[in-house]
Amino acid sequence: MFTSDKPIYLQMADRMKEEILSGTYSDDMRIPSVREYGILLQVNTNTAVKCYEQLSRDGIIYQRRGMGYFVTAGARDRIMQQRKEEFFQTTCPQLKKDLELLGITIEEFIEKIK
């Protein structure tokens, strides 16, 4: 399930962000506890804590003392914007390079992805 290209806690954070994007969790909805999420993904609780700390720093989740963690209002839009920027800065330049190397025109590419 996890790869070796980045720390597990960041991969867990990415998964939670995908779950928010897909609608599994919405604004102000309670998410699994740190322990529950750790058990679900079969990782050490300390790793899950680091994941939640990162998501909190990123403004994706917040904690209500004694009640657990919740999705921050507007988190989905924030994640979407972040992913779009990442796509245009990282994926697009590599895609353009690959298209040029393979001699694929923009028209061919668009036709294939329709």
Side-chain angles (χ1 to χ4, degrees):
M1 166 167 38
F2 296 110
T3 62
S4 61
D5 64 336
K6 72 198 262 190
I8 291 174
Y9 79 97
L10 291 177
Q11 293 178 63
M12 291 175 66
D14 287 344
R15 178 182 167 142
M16 179 63 74
K17 289 175 183 179
E18 288 174 15
E19 291 170 342
I20 292 169
L21 282 176
S22 72
T24 302
Y25 304 111
S26 56
D27 288 356
D28 294 313
M29 184 176 184
R30 186 182 179 281
I31 60 173
S33 71
V34 169
R35 186 175 305 245
E36 291 168 338
Y37 207 54
I39 290 170
L40 176 70
L41 300 181
Q42 300 177 341
V43 300
N44 183 294
T45 302
N46 292 330
T47 304
V49 167
K50 285 179 73 172
C51 166
Y52 277 42
E53 288 173 346
Q54 182 65 50
L55 290 167
S56 292
R57 278 192 300 274
D58 292 345
I60 304 302
I61 62 172
Y62 65 95
Q63 185 177 21
R64 287 187 188 160
R65 191 169 299 271
M67 296 182 68
Y69 284 92
F70 295 79
V71 177
T72 303
R76 186 177 188 282
D77 293 337
R78 196 171 8 272
I79 295 165
M80 186 79 73
Q81 184 60 38
Q82 177 189 39
R83 294 275 174 101
K84 283 181 182 180
E85 288 174 17
E86 197 174 291
F87 177 81
F88 287 121
Q89 291 176 1
T90 306
T91 306
C92 278
Q94 183 61 48
L95 179 60
K96 182 177 185 273
K97 180 181 173 184
D98 290 345
L99 291 173
E100 289 171 353
L101 285 172
L102 297 171
I104 299 172
T105 66
I106 295 293
E107 293 76 20
E108 284 179 288
F109 177 71
I110 291 171
E111 186 60 37
K112 289 290 184 182
I113 62 171
K114 281 186 178 182

